[in-house]
C-alpha cells in the first residue's frame, strides 16, 4: 500500500471555529480528512460540513478551466478558454473602463467564503492600486460591529467559558454553527454545575442539549432583556459599583427598563413571568455568567438595540470582572490582515459602497460613475444578499463586465462574463485569523492545483503584469504577502510547521476605561404582521450547509434532503396543511417551494426555512432571500429575519 503523508491545514470557511485539520495524501491525492487532535480548541473534531472536504476538491462538477459566457447572463452558458485569453480579456476590459469612466467604475467584492489573507485579501492590492471603488459594511453581524465601535466589548477567550457558573445562549445554535464552543460549556457544567439555558424561537439541536429552552417571539429580544434588567435592579442583583464605574447613563437605563415588568414582558415575548424572574435571578447571582449572543437575532431592523441590551446585562451582573464572564458574540486573535490587502496603495478619498446594498449600487441611475466592472470572489451574492431581485437585475446588465473566481458554477458565477477556476484549501498555502477564538492558523498545500485552477494571489500577479502595472507590491510572492501580516518574533516557516499560534487580546477591563459606555436606547417591539394570517419567516444556518457553501455537494444535499419548512402544528392545522406536504412560501417579493415538517419546537406564528439553497436545480431552488425585505438596520444590517410570508398548498 502507498504510504500516507499527513499535511497540516485548516478550514477556510465562514465559521467561528476555524478547525485545524490533517489532510492524508497518497500518491498525490487526498484520501481522507481528520481533525488535528493536538489543537487546543478544535481538538480533533471536524463538522458535518467539511469532514470529507476532499470530495469538494475532486467533485466532478468542479470548475477546472477558465470560461467565457456564450448565452444570456444567468443562463449558465459558457465555453472553455485558455488562461491567457481570460487574463487578456479581463485586463483589456478593466483597462478600458478605467480609461473611459475612471477607476471608481470598478468594484471588487468579497466576503468570508475564505478567511485566508491570501485568498480573501491579496487581490485587493490590484484594486487599491487602480483606485477602484471600495466597499464597507457587512451582511452578517453589523449590529455587533456598531456597538463594538462605541467601546462595548463583545468577546473574550472562549476557553474561559469553562469557568462560567451560568451560560445564557441567546439565539446561538452553537452545535450547528460553532460546535467546538459547546465543549467549554460542558466543561463549565462539569466543573461548576453551570446551567446552560438557550433562548431561541426554535428548539434547535443546541436547545435540546441545554438544561432549558426558552422559546421567544422573534424580534422581542430587547424586551426580554429589558425585563431581565428590571428584575435585577428590583431584586438588588446589580453590581452597582461596577455598573456606575462603567456606564455613562445608568440612571437613564434604569428608568428605561423600569416599565418592563415580567407580566408585560410575557405579553410581548411569549415568555412566562416566572421564567423572566428566574432567569434574572440566575443571571444576577452567578459569578460569573456568560451571555453567548448569536448572529441571527441581530439580523433585524433593531439588531443594534439587542446587542446593546445584552452588553448592558453583562455589565449589570459585574460579569466582566471575573474570568469566564461577560458577553461573547465573537473573538479575534491579535492579527493584522491589512498588509495583505495594502489599502495604502490607493489614492485618498475613493468612494466606498455598502456591500449590503449591492442591488441598489448595481441598478442605480445616480451613481457616478456607475459600476461597470465587477470582480467577485469568496462570495455568492446572487444567493446571500438581501433585495435579491435588484441584485440579480444588476448582475444581468449587459453593460456590466463581471469576473467571478469560483470552485463551482454558483448562481453568481452564472452571471459572469469570465469565470476563473479557483484553488480549494487543499491546493494552496494560506494563513488566517478567526472570529470565534484567539488562534492564528496556517494552511499548507496538500496537493498541486487540480486542473487549471489557480490561487488568488497568482491571479493578482497575472492581471497586474498584463495591465502593465509596475507597483512592486503587486508582484510579491505568497510568502512575502503573508509574512507582512505576521507579528514580530515569528516566521512563516515556524507557523506553518506548528499549524497555529495563540494570539490573545487582553481581557477587557471595563472599569479601567472609565464610565463611558452608553446602555440606554430604544426597546423596540417586534413588528406587527402585515396581514392577519402572515407568519414570520426565519432563515437560520443549516447543519450541513455553510451559508450557500456545500449546498451543491451530494452528501450534504442528501443529509438536508430537501428545503424544509418548520411549522408549528397549530399554524399548520389552521391552514389545513399536513406534515410532508409541499407548500408555497410567498409574499409580495417572491415565492419559494418547500416541504412542511410539523413540530411543537417552534414558536407559534413563526416558520423556519434552514439553509441557503441554490436556485438550481429548480426542484429544490428555495432561495429564501427572494422573500426578504429591502430593509436595513441603522448600522446597515440586512433585516433578513423581519420577513413575513403566507404558506399555502403547492397545489393551490
Amino acid at each position: 500500500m502507498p504510504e500516507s503523508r499527513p499535511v497540516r491545514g485548516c478550514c477556510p470557511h465562514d465559521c467561528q471555529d476555524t478547525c485545524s485539520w490533517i489532510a492524508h495524501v497518497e500518491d498525490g491525492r487526498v484520501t481522507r480528512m481528520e481533525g488535528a487532535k493536538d489543537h487546543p480548541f478544535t481538538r480533533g473534531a471536524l463538522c458535518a460540513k467539511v469532514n470529507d472536504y476532499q470530495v469538494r476538491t475532486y467533485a466532478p462538477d468542479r470548475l477546472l478551466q477558465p470560461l467565457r459566457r456564450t448565452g444570456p447572463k444567468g443562463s449558465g452558458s459558457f465555453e472553455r478558454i485558455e488562461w491567457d485569453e481570460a487574463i487578456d480579456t479581463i485586463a483589456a476590459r478593466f483597462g478600458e473602463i478605467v480609461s473611459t469612466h475612471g477607476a471608481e467604475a470598478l468594484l471588487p467584492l468579497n466576503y468570508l467564503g475564505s478567511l485566508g489573507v491570501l485568498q480573501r485579501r491579496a487581490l485587493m492590492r490590484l484594486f487599491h492600486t487602480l483606485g477602484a471603488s471600495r466597499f464597507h459594511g457587512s451582511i452578517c453581524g453589523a449590529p455587533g460591529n456598531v456597538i463594538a465601535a462605541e467601546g462595548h466589548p463583545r468577546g473574550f477567550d472562549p476557553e474561559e467559558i469553562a469557568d462560567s457558573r451560568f451560560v445564557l445562549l441567546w439565539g446561538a445554535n452553537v452545535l450547528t454553527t460553532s460546535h467546538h464552543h459547546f465543549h467549554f460549556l460542558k466543561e463549565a457544567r462539569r466543573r461548576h454545575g453551570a446551567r446552560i439555558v438557550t433562548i431561541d424561537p426554535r428548539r434547535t439541536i443546541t436547545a435540546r442539549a441545554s438544561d432549558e429552552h426558552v422559546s421567544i417571539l422573534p424580534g422581542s429580544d430587547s424586551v426580554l432583556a429589558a425585563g431581565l434588567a428590571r428584575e435585577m435592579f428590583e431584586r438588588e442583583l446589580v453590581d452597582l459599583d461596577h455598573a456606575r464605574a462603567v456606564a455613562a447613563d445608568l440612571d437613564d437605563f434604569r428608568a428605561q427598563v423600569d416599565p418592563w415588568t415580567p407580566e408585560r414582558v410575557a405579553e410581548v415575548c411569549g415568555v412566562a413571568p416566572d421564567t423572566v424572574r428566574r432567569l434574572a435571578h440566575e443571571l444576577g447571582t452567578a459569578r460569573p455568567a456568560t451571555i453567548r449572543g448569536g448572529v441571527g437575532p441581530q439580523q433585524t431592523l433593531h439588531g443594534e438595540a439587542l446587542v446593546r441590551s445584552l452588553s448592558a446585562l453583562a455589565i449589570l451582573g459585574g460579569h466582566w470582572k471575573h474570568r469566564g464572564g461577560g458577553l461573547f458574540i465573537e473573538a479575534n486573535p491579535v492579527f493584522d490582515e491589512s498588509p495583505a490587502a495594502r489599502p495604502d496603495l490607493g489614492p485618498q478619498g475613493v468612494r466606498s459602497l455598502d456591500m449590503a446594498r449591492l442591488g441598489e449600487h448595481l441598478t442605480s441611475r445616480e451613481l457616478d460613475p456607475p459600476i461597470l466592472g465587477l470582480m467577485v470572489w469568496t462570495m455568492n451574492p446572487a444567493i446571500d444578499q438581501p433585495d435579491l431581485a435588484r441584485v440579480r437585475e444588476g448582475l444581468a446588465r449587459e453593460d456590466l463586465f463581471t469576473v467571478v473566481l469560483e470552485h463551482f458554477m454558483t448562481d453568481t458565477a452564472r452571471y459572469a462574463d469570465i469565470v476563473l477556476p479557483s484553488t480549494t484549501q487543499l491546493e494552496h498555502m494560506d494563513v488566517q485569523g478567526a472570529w470565534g477564538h484567539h488562534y492564528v492558523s496556517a494552511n499548507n498545500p496538500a496537493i498541486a492545483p487540480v486542473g487549471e485552477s489557480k490561487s488568488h494571489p497568482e491571479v493578482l500577479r497575472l492581471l497586474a503584469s498584463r495591465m502593465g502595472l509596475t507597483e512592486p507590491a503587486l508582484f510579491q510572492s505568497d510568502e512575502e504577502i503573508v509574512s507582512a501580516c505576521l507579528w514580530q518574533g515569528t516566521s512563516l516557516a515556524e507557523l506553518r510547521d506548528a499549524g497555529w499560534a495563540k494570539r490573545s487580546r487582553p481581557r477587557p477591563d471595563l472599569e479601567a476605561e472609565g464610565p463611558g459606555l452608553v446602555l440606554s436606547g430604544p426597546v423596540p417591539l417586534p413588528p406587527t404582521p402585515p396581514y392577519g394570517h402572515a407568519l414570520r419567516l426565519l432563515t437560520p444556518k443549516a447543519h450541513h450547509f455553510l451559508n450557500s457553501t456545500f449546498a451543491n455537494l451530494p452528501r450534504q444535499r442528501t443529509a438536508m434532503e430537501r428545503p424544509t419548512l418548520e411549522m408549528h402544528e397549530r399554524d399548520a392545522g389552521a391552514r389545513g396543511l399536513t406534515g410532508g406536504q409541499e407548500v408555497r412560501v410567498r409574499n409580495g417579493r417572491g415565492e419559494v417551494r418547500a416541504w412542511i415538517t410539523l413540530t411543537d419546537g417552534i414558536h407559534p406564528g413563526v416558520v423556519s426555512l434552514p439553509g441557503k439553497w441554490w436556485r438550481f436545480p429548480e426542484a429544490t431552488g428555495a432561495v429564501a432571500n427572494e422573500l426578504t425585505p429591502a430593509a436595513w438596520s441603522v448600522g446597515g444590517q440586512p433585516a433578513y429575519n423581519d420577513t413575513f410570508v403566507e404558506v399555502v398548498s403547492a397545489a393551490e
Side-chain angles (χ1 to χ4, degrees):
M1 291 182 61
E3 184 178 351
S4 177
R5 176 174 60 91
V7 180
R8 283 193 180 274
C10 60
C11 177
H13 291 293
D14 182 12
C15 168
Q16 291 195 293
D17 287 14
T18 309
C19 291
S20 182
W21 68 30
I22 303 292
H24 292 273
V25 183
E26 296 178 8
D27 288 338
R29 186 178 178 89
V30 177
T31 56
R32 66 185 178 95
M33 305 291 297
E34 69 171 335
K37 295 180 175 60
D38 54 351
H39 192 279
F41 190 84
T42 60
R43 301 180 177 217
L46 298 179
C47 74
K49 307 167 185 68
V50 304
N51 57 20
D52 60 350
Y53 187 86
Q54 77 279 8
V55 174
R56 180 177 183 85
T57 296
Y58 299 122
D61 58 339
R62 186 175 161 200
L63 301 174
L64 297 177
Q65 299 88 26
L67 302 174
R68 176 172 54 206
R69 179 172 62 91
T70 58
K73 289 196 172 189
S75 67
S77 297
F78 290 87
E79 64 180 0
R80 177 180 174 179
I81 58 174
E82 299 299 322
W83 265 100
D84 281 346
E85 187 175 1
I87 294 297
D88 283 344
T89 301
I90 298 167
R93 290 296 301 273
F94 279 1
E96 178 187 352
I97 290 168
V98 171
S99 63
T100 305
H101 301 277
E104 287 185 331
L106 297 179
L107 177 67
L109 193 66
N110 65 77
Y111 201 55
L112 298 176
S114 173
L115 293 171
V117 297
L118 290 173
Q119 288 298 98
R120 185 183 178 201
R121 305 285 190 183
L123 266 167
M124 289 302 300
R125 293 184 172 203
L126 173 69
F127 292 95
H128 286 143
T129 300
L130 292 172
S133 291
R134 303 188 182 193
F135 62 87
H136 63 270
S138 173
I139 58 173
C140 188
N145 298 337
V146 170
I147 301 306
E150 295 182 16
H152 290 258
R154 55 178 176 169
F156 51 91
D157 185 348
E159 295 173 61
E160 291 185 13
I161 294 176
D163 287 324
S164 185
R165 272 62 172 177
F166 177 65
V167 180
L168 192 57
L169 299 173
W170 203 304
N173 184 14
V174 293
L175 283 175
T176 284
T177 61
S178 49
H179 70 103
H180 298 90
H181 284 71
F182 206 81
H183 167 83
F184 299 99
L185 274 66
K186 290 193 296 183
E187 274 293 294
R189 182 189 275 162
R190 184 184 66 82
R191 293 182 191 177
H192 308 293
R195 257 177 38 92
I196 303 170
V197 177
T198 290
I199 298 173
D200 201 294
R202 303 167 61 230
R203 190 164 62 237
T204 62
I205 183 174
T206 304
R208 294 196 296 271
S210 301
D211 297 300
E212 182 180 359
H213 170 221
V214 177
S215 183
I216 185 174
L217 180 68
S220 68
D221 305 84
S222 297
V223 171
L224 176 57
L228 297 179
R230 181 195 182 278
E231 282 296 292
M232 290 172 68
F233 279 118
E234 191 75 11
R235 295 166 176 256
E236 298 184 346
L237 301 176
V238 173
D239 186 335
L240 284 173
D241 290 340
H242 176 70
R244 291 198 184 281
V246 170
D249 60 345
L250 188 62
D251 293 335
D252 290 343
F253 178 71
R254 181 167 189 174
Q256 170 192 302
V257 302
D258 189 60
W260 289 106
T261 64
E263 290 73 22
R264 189 179 176 201
V265 169
E267 293 175 1
V268 174
C269 303
V271 177
D274 285 346
T275 300
V276 177
R277 296 186 183 96
R278 178 168 41 76
L279 291 179
H281 176 78
E282 291 184 281
L283 192 58
T285 56
R287 291 293 187 274
T290 294
I291 302 172
R292 175 66 160 86
V295 172
Q298 299 181 43
Q299 296 180 343
T300 74
L301 286 174
H302 304 292
E304 290 79 12
L306 163 68
V307 180
R308 188 184 305 279
S309 65
L310 297 186
S311 180
L313 290 174
I315 290 168
L316 294 184
H319 300 304
W320 284 111
K321 293 165 55 177
H322 310 280
R323 175 183 169 86
L327 172 63
F328 186 97
I329 294 177
E330 64 179 83
N332 314 96
V334 179
F335 182 53
D336 184 7
E337 300 183 13
S338 63
R342 292 292 305 272
D344 59 294
L345 295 175
Q348 297 295 315
V350 174
R351 72 180 179 191
S352 182
L353 304 175
D354 186 346
M355 69 184 305
R357 294 178 180 263
L358 180 63
E360 289 184 15
H361 303 320
L362 293 182
T363 58
S364 172
R365 296 178 179 273
E366 287 74 41
L367 203 61
D368 185 21
I371 300 302
L372 297 171
L374 178 69
M375 181 178 276
V376 182
W377 65 97
T378 66
M379 192 177 187
N380 189 9
I383 294 293
D384 297 337
Q385 282 272 345
D387 198 14
L388 203 50
R390 269 204 288 188
V391 171
R392 289 177 176 163
E393 178 187 347
L395 291 173
R397 285 171 37 208
E398 281 296 329
D399 65 335
L400 176 68
F401 177 70
T402 301
V403 180
V404 174
L405 289 77
E406 254 301 349
H407 301 149
F408 298 97
M409 186 55 67
T410 63
D411 285 58
T412 302
R414 296 172 74 95
Y415 287 93
D417 295 282
I418 299 290
V419 178
L420 300 178
S422 173
T423 47
T424 70
Q425 191 79 339
L426 296 178
E427 302 159 274
H428 56 242
M429 185 270 290
D430 217 331
V431 172
Q432 61 195 59
W435 64 282
H437 56 62
H438 286 172
Y439 293 87
V440 176
S441 302
N443 184 73
N444 292 297
I447 56 173
V450 177
E452 298 177 22
S453 60
K454 294 185 184 297
S455 69
H456 297 177
E458 187 171 358
V459 175
L460 161 70
R461 292 184 284 267
L462 289 172
L463 279 174
S465 176
R466 205 64 52 90
M467 295 184 75
L469 302 174
T470 58
E471 166 57 50
L474 302 179
F475 301 96
Q476 285 187 322
S477 67
D478 293 7
E479 290 76 12
E480 289 173 313
I481 296 172
V482 166
S483 295
C485 300
L486 299 183
W487 52 96
Q488 188 173 6
T490 194
S491 70
L492 178 58
E494 292 170 342
L495 184 61
R496 291 179 64 176
D497 183 59
W500 62 82
K502 191 171 187 180
R503 296 278 294 163
S504 287
R505 300 175 182 277
R507 182 172 172 79
D509 184 354
L510 275 62
E511 292 189 21
E513 299 295 326
L517 297 183
V518 174
L519 307 186
S520 58
V523 181
L525 298 176
T528 302
Y531 39 88
H533 57 286
L535 298 165
R536 186 161 181 162
L537 174 67
L538 304 181
T539 55
K541 290 187 177 182
H543 197 71
H544 294 273
F545 298 167
L546 209 167
N547 299 323
S548 64
T549 305
F550 303 104
N552 65 311
L553 293 183
R555 180 182 64 79
Q556 288 85 342
R557 286 181 62 88
T558 299
M560 291 294 294
E561 295 186 13
R562 58 190 182 184
T564 300
L565 188 75
E566 299 168 352
M567 192 174 198
H568 196 280
E569 297 162 345
R570 188 187 73 185
D571 292 325
R575 291 160 178 78
L577 302 173
T578 59
Q581 182 176 359
E582 186 180 7
V583 293
R584 291 188 287 165
V585 186
R586 66 189 186 189
N587 58 21
R589 302 188 69 82
E591 173 182 300
V592 301
R593 294 201 172 205
W595 286 261
I596 289 180
T597 289
L598 295 181
T599 178
D600 62 356
I602 193 166
H603 205 86
V606 180
V607 290
S608 173
L609 183 61
K612 287 183 168 59
W613 296 81
W614 293 12
R615 196 176 186 184
F616 301 96
E618 293 183 358
T620 56
V623 182
N625 282 335
E626 292 184 357
L627 306 172
T628 56
W632 298 264
S633 73
V634 293
Q637 172 61 50
Y640 296 118
N641 289 327
D642 283 343
T643 301
F644 288 91
V645 296
E646 62 176 348
V647 180
V648 300
S649 167
E652 185 175 317

